[in-house]
Amino acid sequence: MFLSVFCFGQDSLKTIVAEPGDGILSLLRKQGVDPYEVFDEFVLLNNDNLRDSVHLIEGRTYIMPAVKLDTVAIVDSLQIQSKEIKELESVSYDIFGEKHKNVIEKSERLKGTIYYLVSGHGGPDPGAMGIYAGKAIAEDEYAYDITLRLAKELLSHGAKVYIIIQDPNDGIRDDFILEIDHDEVAYLDKTIPLNQVARLKQRVEIVNDLYKSNKGNYQRLIVTHVDSRSEGQNIDVFFYHHEHSKNGKRLAQSIHKTFEAKYKKYQPNRSYSGTFEDRTSLYLVKKTHPAMTFIEIGNIRNAKDQVRIVDPDNRQALAKWISEGVLLDYEGE
């Protein structure tokens, strides 16, 4: 599927000032635009003027994507200058849900790469549990949503992506409270076992079989979890790797470096304490064959960490930051 992309001079595009309480979705809705159709284009247009890569800054002026007939206009900084007219390919993936299914090509920076994405728990096991706004929240739902958002980012840069744990009907969700269900399956519609060892073994076998079938290609694995600690323990995002994997260490280090830079830029008064370290005792770290990183997003029981997890804008920022770390890792080859 192709979208015609019309690019105009910057002074011909509509601008809007962010008001208190505005988010990208609400700002676009107030302008009478379907936010899900133009969200990515808005971020591309205003990337240098967003906090945490996805949050509006009150009082700042933002460029609105132009919509012509039934097509979406994408304008990036180079196109604004040159007033080029070009056509971008948009590929539809049902797994992301109706509102987020279209993936628009941003670059080919990851062309030729393969990424396996595993979100923690799922099926009969919801993983770590917490309470937010009086309602139960589960690790597997939030890890899965971040994983889908990460998959979409990687696909937009030309990567081939295998989503190992899948939910047939969730898609990317823009809610704070993600409804808990148990219908997740493993890659190619395999039932997820209740037994923990059997469940982990199933994931290892799926990833290792795919790794073998894609032998000779650039392959990496990213596993996403949400931790559970005491309610009073606020933690940052942590990254683990196999102690003997040079490539896995570099992947974890590259994403960690990206997070450090983001915190320094967007939260200069707050130090970042997340680390990257070897954790070969973890089953998936020890048993899987691709170079990999295992990510702990935060403490699902801590009120500050919950904001990082439940806010859909924050989940999008996490996915975007991880993808930027992936790009840093790959392009440093």
Side-chain angles (χ1 to χ4, degrees):
M1 179 172 61
F2 289 88
L3 295 179
S4 297
V5 181
F6 299 85
C7 304
F8 307 92
Q10 185 168 349
D11 56 1
S12 68
L13 292 172
K14 180 179 179 180
T15 59
I16 188 73
V17 176
E19 299 178 350
D22 276 342
I24 294 177
L25 297 181
S26 61
L27 182 75
L28 294 172
R29 286 193 186 99
K30 286 195 296 186
Q31 299 305 307
V33 177
D34 183 343
Y36 301 105
E37 287 293 324
V38 299
F39 182 91
D40 288 344
E41 294 84 346
F42 183 91
V43 171
L44 282 171
L45 276 169
N46 298 285
N47 188 53
D48 294 332
N49 208 20
L50 296 169
R51 178 174 57 83
D52 299 347
S53 301
V54 295
H55 290 91
L56 301 177
I57 301 173
E58 181 183 333
R60 293 280 180 89
T61 299
Y62 292 92
I63 303 169
M64 291 294 296
V67 179
K68 186 175 181 69
L69 298 178
D70 293 326
T71 64
V72 176
I74 306 173
V75 186
D76 63 25
S77 58
L78 292 177
Q79 293 166 337
I80 289 172
Q81 296 297 323
S82 63
K83 302 183 182 180
E84 295 176 354
I85 296 178
K86 65 184 243 183
E87 203 169 71
L88 290 183
E89 183 178 7
S90 174
V91 181
S92 178
Y93 297 87
D94 289 340
I95 193 169
F96 297 135
E98 184 63 28
K99 294 178 179 178
H100 293 273
K101 67 181 180 180
N102 290 331
V103 177
I104 299 170
E105 180 184 333
K106 297 176 183 177
S107 78
E108 293 187 342
R109 295 167 67 185
L110 293 176
K111 187 176 181 179
T113 66
I114 297 173
Y115 288 88
Y116 307 108
L117 305 184
V118 178
S119 55
H121 304 276
D125 177 22
M129 301 290 293
I131 300 294
Y132 178 80
K135 296 185 179 180
I137 57 174
E139 171 183 6
D140 67 326
E141 304 297 340
Y142 292 91
Y144 181 64
D145 191 76
I146 293 167
T147 295
L148 288 184
R149 293 171 186 270
L150 174 59
K152 190 172 180 180
E153 288 290 327
L154 299 180
L155 286 166
S156 75
H157 290 292
K160 183 175 183 179
V161 178
Y162 290 89
I163 301 171
I164 304 304
I165 302 303
Q166 304 182 1
D167 189 296
N169 49 40
D170 277 352
I172 293 173
R173 292 176 282 178
D174 294 314
D175 305 304
F176 277 65
I177 304 294
L178 300 184
E179 184 179 349
I180 300 171
D181 60 27
H182 304 283
D183 59 348
E184 294 85 8
V185 295
Y187 180 70
L188 292 186
D189 208 29
K190 295 183 178 69
T191 299
I192 298 174
L194 175 62
N195 178 270
Q196 181 184 18
V197 175
R199 184 170 63 249
L200 295 175
K201 184 178 179 182
Q202 179 189 63
R203 295 172 193 208
V204 167
E205 289 177 348
I206 292 169
V207 170
N208 288 348
D209 285 347
L210 287 169
Y211 180 78
K212 184 178 179 181
S213 69
N214 288 308
K215 186 177 180 180
N217 293 286
Y218 181 97
Q219 304 180 62
R220 295 292 185 267
L221 165 64
I222 299 175
V223 179
T224 306
H225 276 256
V226 181
D227 210 345
S228 178
R229 305 190 185 189
S230 67
E231 291 184 12
Q233 189 170 2
N234 172 220
I235 63 174
D236 279 318
V237 182
F238 288 80
F239 308 92
Y240 302 126
H241 60 87
H242 194 288
E243 61 181 332
H244 299 307
S245 173
K246 178 181 177 181
N247 290 333
K249 179 180 180 180
R250 187 174 63 222
L251 174 60
Q253 185 176 19
S254 295
I255 303 174
H256 176 266
K257 183 178 180 179
T258 300
F259 271 66
E260 279 189 320
K262 295 295 185 181
Y263 271 78
K264 185 177 181 180
K265 178 178 180 180
Y266 297 117
Q267 300 184 46
N269 298 320
R270 181 194 183 289
S271 61
Y272 173 62
S273 62
T275 61
F276 73 96
E277 58 188 83
D278 64 85
R279 187 64 68 86
T280 312
S281 59
L282 294 170
Y283 194 96
L284 286 176
V285 175
K286 183 177 182 179
K287 298 289 187 179
T288 49
H289 294 162
M292 65 93 71
T293 185
F294 186 110
I295 305 176
E296 290 281 10
I297 296 299
N299 178 8
I300 199 169
R301 300 181 63 203
N302 178 268
K304 290 183 178 179
D305 283 9
Q306 283 179 343
V307 174
R308 181 189 311 149
I309 297 164
V310 301
D311 187 330
D313 285 346
N314 288 341
R315 296 198 297 273
Q316 183 62 33
L318 286 167
K320 194 170 188 301
W321 291 8
I322 294 169
S323 72
E324 289 180 19
V326 167
L327 287 164
L328 177 65
D329 170 63
Y330 180 63
E331 294 177 340
E333 279 284 295

